[in-house]
Amino acid sequence: MTQLAQEERTTGCSSIFRAASIGRVRDIHRLAAAGNLDVVNTEGQTPLMLATLQSHPLTMCTLLEHGASQSICDRNGDTPLHQAASRGNPVMVVLLAHHDGNSVNRTSPADGGTALHRAAASGRVSRKARRSQIGRRRRRTKE
């Protein structure tokens, strides 16, 4: 029995959630072949969200390669991209945005904000990015 399987038995923590939260890429490959990657825990978080929150970029990319959805919201209405932006994690933001370019325009059901709004609200976005977003908004309203 693997260490993860034994821990699942004793703590009730699902193997896929544990592997995602500690960055066990090899286990993610194995577990992805065996089941659904878009399961949610009691907080409404998916394994992809846990990998994002714990800053495991390789694990996150592995989950995405295996088909994990980044459009699922947790119980607060946040997607993985919203979470990464709120925490000021530019590596995770870039990887998530690169994998699904449409995700940057997704709004949170909780507050209607995009990931850029979240980053700006938390003070974790550069002035250049804010000006770029404001410029796009002005161009759209003129058209």
Side-chain angles (χ1 to χ4, degrees), residues 36-106:
N36 181 6
L37 295 177
D38 293 329
V39 293
V40 295
N41 63 14
T42 57
E43 301 294 316
Q45 299 167 322
T46 64
L48 180 62
M49 290 177 186
L50 292 178
T52 302
L53 290 170
Q54 296 299 320
S55 297
H56 295 300
L58 187 56
T59 304
M60 188 187 71
C61 288
T62 303
L63 286 161
L64 290 169
E65 287 170 11
H66 282 287
S69 173
Q70 63 182 36
S71 62
I72 297 172
C73 297
D74 66 8
R75 71 179 183 175
N76 298 320
D78 294 336
T79 65
L81 183 60
H82 283 99
Q83 293 171 339
S86 294
R87 289 177 177 251
N89 192 329
V91 171
M92 303 305 258
V93 168
V94 168
L95 290 171
L96 287 163
H98 178 73
H99 190 286
D100 177 8
N102 292 325
S103 64
V104 297
N105 295 320
R106 251 183 227 121

Side-chain angles (χ1 to χ4, degrees), residues 7-57:
E7 189 168 316
E8 180 177 354
R9 225 178 221 201
T10 58
T11 66
C13 180
S14 171
S15 296
I16 190 74
F17 289 107
R18 181 77 176 138
S21 66
I22 63 174
R24 300 279 302 260
V25 175
R26 185 174 28 195
D27 291 324
I28 295 292
H29 282 296
R30 181 179 52 79
L31 293 165
N36 181 6
L37 295 177
D38 293 329
V39 293
V40 295
N41 63 14
T42 57
E43 301 294 316
Q45 299 167 322
T46 64
L48 180 62
M49 290 177 186
L50 292 178
T52 302
L53 290 170
Q54 296 299 320
S55 297
H56 295 300

